[in-house]
Amino acid sequence: MSTSHDDGGDPDDRGDRGDRGDRSDRGLGPMRFSLLARDGAARRGRLAFPRGTVETPAFMPVGTYGTVKAMTPEDLVGVGTEIVLGNTFHLYLRPGLEVIAAHRGLHGFMHWQRPILTDSGGFQVWSLAEMRKITEQGAHFRSPVDGAPVFLSPEESMRIQRILAADVAMSFDECTPYPATEAQARSSMELSMRWAVRGFREYYRAEPPGTLFGIVQGGVHPHLRLASLAALEEVGFAGLAVGGLAVGESVAERDLVLDQLLPHMPTLKPRYLMGVGRPEDIIEAVRRGIDMFDCVMPTRHARNAHLFTRAGVINIRNAVHHSDTGPIEEGCACYTCLNYSRSYLRHLDKCGEILGAHLNTVHNLHFYQRLMREIRAAIEAARFEAYAAEFHALKALGSPR
């Protein structure tokens, strides 16, 4: 059944372990999360920030360098985007903090006045396996820009994110590699939890520009995930992310982690699954109780001529589209589908025209935001399971080209 309630939650849920430790109203930044409806474990909510609201479940386009590739902020608003993601690590290296501070933060720098979430840099440090050394103090590595030595610690990540002044900042963590033994995953998780305490203290040492989320680690070992969650709840983060997935594990392993973890996560805090972005994976994660997503998939696919439809992904470079005068997807109301044909988009791609990347990205991000709107409506109508079944069935019957 779908249940609606105010910010205080269902009276019947009070005292449940899932509500334990909710501190979202205790001055940990200008964010308020409202849980509006539930359908099974699927949740319909709202994040409220001074810069605007974000309806959940929500998808955040990735703007690594302070821009979502091939899109203006106005384009993003046009496809329904309410929040974007920026990257602490890359913005720290280029253009540097002095430039962003001169613009009074990332919002002014990138001309985006709606909410922003900044990643802490932990995932990027993980990706530099051949160029980094992890110690108790932090991560030592060589800059991928110019090879200069760089040190990133929990305190430094928080200092950077305070200057970026995003609405949501992320705790600095070590992304546990995959595969990892139980002992390796435990050591990595426990290091991240010690870093979480240090980062929390640094971020909230003075009035914060936003709200800091903690990141649950522990690899594919559910008992380590629960230990990580308990440690983060002891600190008192106002929002929680599930990190260390989408790094090579199987879908079955990922689902097992979520199945074991999510029932224990606090009901009245937002839940963010980092880096997972296939539409079918989003649906399955929503089914288990996730509220927020980010992924480079829709934008990267667009630049590589792969376009999302309800029946699956099509490759616009295929010869079958050479003379096709129809849109990418019949019934799609995005700017690209209303004005351009598959034939024209294939022509732009073949000629290397920049407009092609832009129009493809408009469509893909519109597809993702439409997906999230449909998911939210299905939860509100207490028919999420039917919607998910219809989505999977249509994709199975489709014939992408």
Side-chain angles (χ1 to χ4, degrees), residues 103-168:
H103 291 79
R104 299 184 179 180
L106 188 54
H107 292 87
F109 183 58
M110 64 182 289
H111 175 53
W112 174 260
Q113 294 309 315
R114 294 188 178 194
I116 297 175
L117 179 147
T118 46
D119 195 359
S120 68
F123 180 82
Q124 284 67 39
V125 171
W126 169 81
S127 70
L128 298 172
E130 303 303 319
M131 304 170 63
R132 61 161 167 82
K133 179 181 179 182
I134 304 294
T135 69
E136 183 68 34
Q137 291 306 307
H140 303 259
F141 57 95
R142 292 281 178 181
S143 166
V145 176
D146 58 9
V150 181
F151 176 66
L152 200 57
S153 67
E155 292 81 6
E156 181 67 359
S157 175
M158 295 305 107
R159 183 183 77 87
I160 296 168
Q161 291 190 80
R162 286 180 64 94
I163 292 172
L164 296 177
D167 304 271
V168 177

Side-chain angles (χ1 to χ4, degrees), residues 8-81:
D10 261 343
D12 292 343
D13 288 338
R14 300 190 189 281
D16 177 37
R17 188 179 187 280
D19 292 330
R20 181 181 62 81
D22 177 65
R23 306 182 188 183
S24 60
D25 59 348
R26 291 182 55 184
L28 298 184
M31 179 198 79
R32 186 174 182 85
F33 177 62
S34 303
L35 185 56
L36 305 177
R38 287 181 289 187
D39 187 6
R43 295 145 55 94
R44 164 75 172 97
R46 179 175 296 129
L47 289 163
F49 301 97
R51 290 185 176 90
T53 59
V54 177
E55 304 299 324
T56 66
F59 180 81
M60 301 179 287
V62 175
T64 300
Y65 293 101
T67 173
V68 176
K69 287 181 170 59
M71 298 284 280
T72 68
E74 291 77 14
D75 293 327
L76 291 171
V77 171
V79 300
T81 304

Side-chain angles (χ1 to χ4, degrees), residues 7-297:
D7 296 348
D10 261 343
D12 292 343
D13 288 338
R14 300 190 189 281
D16 177 37
R17 188 179 187 280
D19 292 330
R20 181 181 62 81
D22 177 65
R23 306 182 188 183
S24 60
D25 59 348
R26 291 182 55 184
L28 298 184
M31 179 198 79
R32 186 174 182 85
F33 177 62
S34 303
L35 185 56
L36 305 177
R38 287 181 289 187
D39 187 6
R43 295 145 55 94
R44 164 75 172 97
R46 179 175 296 129
L47 289 163
F49 301 97
R51 290 185 176 90
T53 59
V54 177
E55 304 299 324
T56 66
F59 180 81
M60 301 179 287
V62 175
T64 300
Y65 293 101
T67 173
V68 176
K69 287 181 170 59
M71 298 284 280
T72 68
E74 291 77 14
D75 293 327
L76 291 171
V77 171
V79 300
T81 304
E82 295 176 331
I83 181 172
V84 299
L85 182 146
N87 188 268
T88 297
F89 175 87
H90 290 292
L91 291 167
Y92 173 53
L93 298 179
R94 288 186 299 192
L97 299 182
E98 289 186 5
V99 173
I100 296 176
H103 291 79
R104 299 184 179 180
L106 188 54
H107 292 87
F109 183 58
M110 64 182 289
H111 175 53
W112 174 260
Q113 294 309 315
R114 294 188 178 194
I116 297 175
L117 179 147
T118 46
D119 195 359
S120 68
F123 180 82
Q124 284 67 39
V125 171
W126 169 81
S127 70
L128 298 172
E130 303 303 319
M131 304 170 63
R132 61 161 167 82
K133 179 181 179 182
I134 304 294
T135 69
E136 183 68 34
Q137 291 306 307
H140 303 259
F141 57 95
R142 292 281 178 181
S143 166
V145 176
D146 58 9
V150 181
F151 176 66
L152 200 57
S153 67
E155 292 81 6
E156 181 67 359
S157 175
M158 295 305 107
R159 183 183 77 87
I160 296 168
Q161 291 190 80
R162 286 180 64 94
I163 292 172
L164 296 177
D167 304 271
V168 177
M170 298 305 299
S171 181
F172 184 67
D173 63 338
E174 182 187 29
C175 183
T176 305
Y178 178 88
T181 66
E182 194 272 350
Q184 290 170 329
R186 178 182 295 278
S187 176
S188 175
M189 179 273 288
E190 290 177 347
L191 176 63
S192 290
M193 297 307 99
R194 294 192 295 273
W195 284 359
V197 173
R198 289 166 52 190
F200 186 92
R201 289 171 178 166
E202 175 65 20
Y203 188 77
Y204 288 108
R205 63 178 170 76
E207 186 67 24
T211 301
L212 183 64
F213 280 25
I215 304 176
V216 179
Q217 289 289 355
V220 294
H221 306 278
H223 65 291
L224 296 182
R225 292 283 178 171
L226 293 177
S228 177
L229 173 61
L232 295 174
E233 281 294 271
E234 200 61 36
V235 177
F237 290 93
L240 295 167
V242 181
L245 295 177
V247 294
E249 79 285 349
S250 68
V251 172
E253 288 173 311
R254 182 191 314 153
D255 287 347
L256 177 62
V257 167
L258 297 178
D259 286 339
Q260 296 292 320
L261 174 63
L262 287 172
H264 298 275
M265 294 186 76
T267 303
L268 301 182
K269 294 183 182 181
R271 305 164 177 177
Y272 166 28
L273 180 57
M274 306 179 77
V276 172
R278 291 195 311 165
E280 55 267 39
D281 293 336
I282 288 175
I283 286 176
E284 290 307 308
V286 168
R287 172 182 274 128
R288 291 163 169 80
I290 292 292
D291 305 306
M292 302 168 66
F293 301 87
D294 81 280
C295 191
V296 300
M297 183 172 287

